[in-house]
Amino acid sequence: MEAQRLLSGFCSTPPIQNTKTQVFVKFPLSSSSSSSSASFAQSQKWVSFKACPSISQSALSGKVFQCRNSGERIEFLAYDKEDLRSGIRRKKLAVFVSGGGSNFRSIHEACLRGSIHGDIVVVVTSKQGCGGADYARDKGLPVILFPKRKLEADGISPADLVATLRSFEVDFVLLAGYLKLIPAELIQAYPRSILNIHPSLLPAFGGKGNYGMKVHKAVIASGARYTGPTIHFVDEHYDTGRILAQRVVPVLAKDTAEELAARVLREEHRIYVEVITALCEDRVIWREDGVPIIRSKENPNEYS
């Protein structure tokens, strides 16, 4: 169990919930330097050691280790047994938030309990002090400010945002109450891989400026009898990307905007987790006409 020894020797902090770890080690070229006492810092023939800094040996229980030799580099790959059984790689997720982040929290909790076959590896926020960003920091998740703000020096450019997400090996980007327009650079870098949730049945009550309580007030004022959350892929415009899933919520005769918002939000939490679960299990299929549909897990011949 050389990989376990290496991890326990370099990672002494408490375990995290991540379920897959990669350790990259380049062994010394000469046999004389193969002593177990050799360290990475003492030999120029070692390359960098890559591992999550907060994984302890207790976090490795139930793991299956594979050793892959690539030239002079040997890679120890630690997988959950579930990963090997399913044959589906756990996905790495980036979540974008601007507000309280209730959808972000529900997604994170679903990842922790295993409902979603993926892990949130980075959070992007347009407001450093928003509730979603505070929650991410409390959970030890990296937080990035985007876009740049005049009064804050920590913001990054669109090109740097793409590079940063690439460095985290992000598979999918999930917008959870993010109020800024996604830059074209990111959309081009992650085609068919960016999801957003909107609190109305798009294409109704969408577009720039239609968010939060404004949407629910507009729905009630219109006399619409039904509303509900929509999950759609993101394009270069507000709320115009291909629709992936919707959930209908009735508008009651004496609803206030706050009452309607609360019922829609409950459905948002459910449907977003369900859709992300399907996404991470490779069950989102694109029809020939460019419309995305979800394959049933129980019956692969059924779609929604």
Side-chain angles (χ1 to χ4, degrees), residues 49-72:
F49 180 87
K50 179 180 178 182
C52 180
S54 56
I55 295 180
S56 70
Q57 187 164 349
S58 62
L60 299 175
S61 59
K63 302 287 190 238
V64 175
F65 290 90
Q66 294 181 348
C67 180
R68 184 170 64 201
N69 196 334
S70 176
E72 294 176 345

Side-chain angles (χ1 to χ4, degrees), residues 6 10 22-27 39-41 43-51 72-75:
L6 288 168
F10 285 87
Q22 293 187 348
V23 185
F24 301 102
V25 181
K26 184 176 180 181
F27 287 97
S39 71
F40 287 82
S43 174
Q44 297 299 318
K45 296 176 182 178
W46 293 98
V47 294
S48 61
F49 180 87
K50 179 180 178 182
E72 294 176 345
R73 185 175 75 172
I74 294 179
E75 301 175 2

Side-chain angles (χ1 to χ4, degrees), residues 94-108 120 122-145 174-178:
V95 178
F96 285 42
V97 297
S98 293
S102 68
N103 271 305
F104 162 40
R105 296 177 190 219
S106 69
I107 295 166
H108 184 241
I120 298 172
V122 63
V123 175
V124 177
T125 183
S126 61
K127 298 179 181 178
Q128 285 280 34
C130 72
D134 290 341
Y135 173 84
R137 295 187 192 96
D138 183 62
K139 298 301 180 182
L141 296 171
V143 177
I144 297 167
L145 178 64
L174 311 173
L175 310 188
Y178 186 75

Side-chain angles (χ1 to χ4, degrees), residues 215-264:
V215 173
H216 305 298
K217 289 179 179 178
V219 168
I220 292 174
S222 74
R225 300 306 196 262
Y226 296 95
T227 186
T230 297
I231 297 175
H232 64 95
F233 284 94
V234 174
D235 59 17
E236 291 85 354
H237 308 285
Y238 286 106
D239 304 326
T240 59
R242 295 286 190 169
I243 293 172
L244 179 58
Q246 293 180 310
R247 188 68 52 83
V248 174
V249 174
V251 181
L252 305 182
K254 296 184 178 181
D255 262 339
T256 65
E258 290 75 16
E259 291 168 339
L260 181 58
R263 291 206 310 281
V264 171

Side-chain angles (χ1 to χ4, degrees), residues 23-227:
V23 185
F24 301 102
V25 181
K26 184 176 180 181
F27 287 97
L29 297 179
S30 64
S31 59
S32 61
S33 59
S34 60
S35 168
S36 60
S37 62
S39 71
F40 287 82
Q42 293 171 341
S43 174
Q44 297 299 318
K45 296 176 182 178
W46 293 98
V47 294
S48 61
F49 180 87
K50 179 180 178 182
C52 180
S54 56
I55 295 180
S56 70
Q57 187 164 349
S58 62
L60 299 175
S61 59
K63 302 287 190 238
V64 175
F65 290 90
Q66 294 181 348
C67 180
R68 184 170 64 201
N69 196 334
S70 176
E72 294 176 345
R73 185 175 75 172
I74 294 179
E75 301 175 2
F76 289 98
L77 305 180
Y79 293 95
D80 278 280
K81 293 179 180 179
E82 176 188 354
D83 291 352
L84 294 179
R85 285 198 302 267
S86 67
I88 299 174
R89 176 179 60 82
R90 286 186 73 89
K91 304 304 189 294
K92 295 183 179 181
L93 311 173
V95 178
F96 285 42
V97 297
S98 293
S102 68
N103 271 305
F104 162 40
R105 296 177 190 219
S106 69
I107 295 166
H108 184 241
E109 291 168 357
C111 290
L112 295 183
R113 67 174 178 263
S115 300
I116 292 175
H117 196 62
D119 303 290
I120 298 172
V121 296
V122 63
V123 175
V124 177
T125 183
S126 61
K127 298 179 181 178
Q128 285 280 34
C130 72
D134 290 341
Y135 173 84
R137 295 187 192 96
D138 183 62
K139 298 301 180 182
L141 296 171
V143 177
I144 297 167
L145 178 64
F146 179 84
K148 282 187 174 181
R149 298 168 67 94
K150 292 182 179 179
L151 301 180
E152 298 184 76
D154 296 334
I156 60 176
S157 67
D160 288 338
L161 175 63
V162 172
T164 301
L165 296 184
R166 293 294 194 200
S167 72
F168 280 99
E169 301 177 339
V170 167
D171 295 295
F172 298 111
V173 173
L174 311 173
L175 310 188
Y178 186 75
L179 302 181
K180 298 295 183 179
L181 188 65
I182 299 300
E185 293 92 330
L186 183 58
I187 294 169
Q188 293 165 7
Y190 284 88
R192 294 183 171 182
S193 300
I194 306 175
L195 283 182
N196 182 46
I197 188 163
H198 185 78
S200 72
L201 296 174
L202 293 176
F205 307 103
K208 185 176 182 179
N210 284 321
Y211 60 88
M213 203 60 66
K214 294 181 181 180
V215 173
H216 305 298
K217 289 179 179 178
V219 168
I220 292 174
S222 74
R225 300 306 196 262
Y226 296 95
T227 186

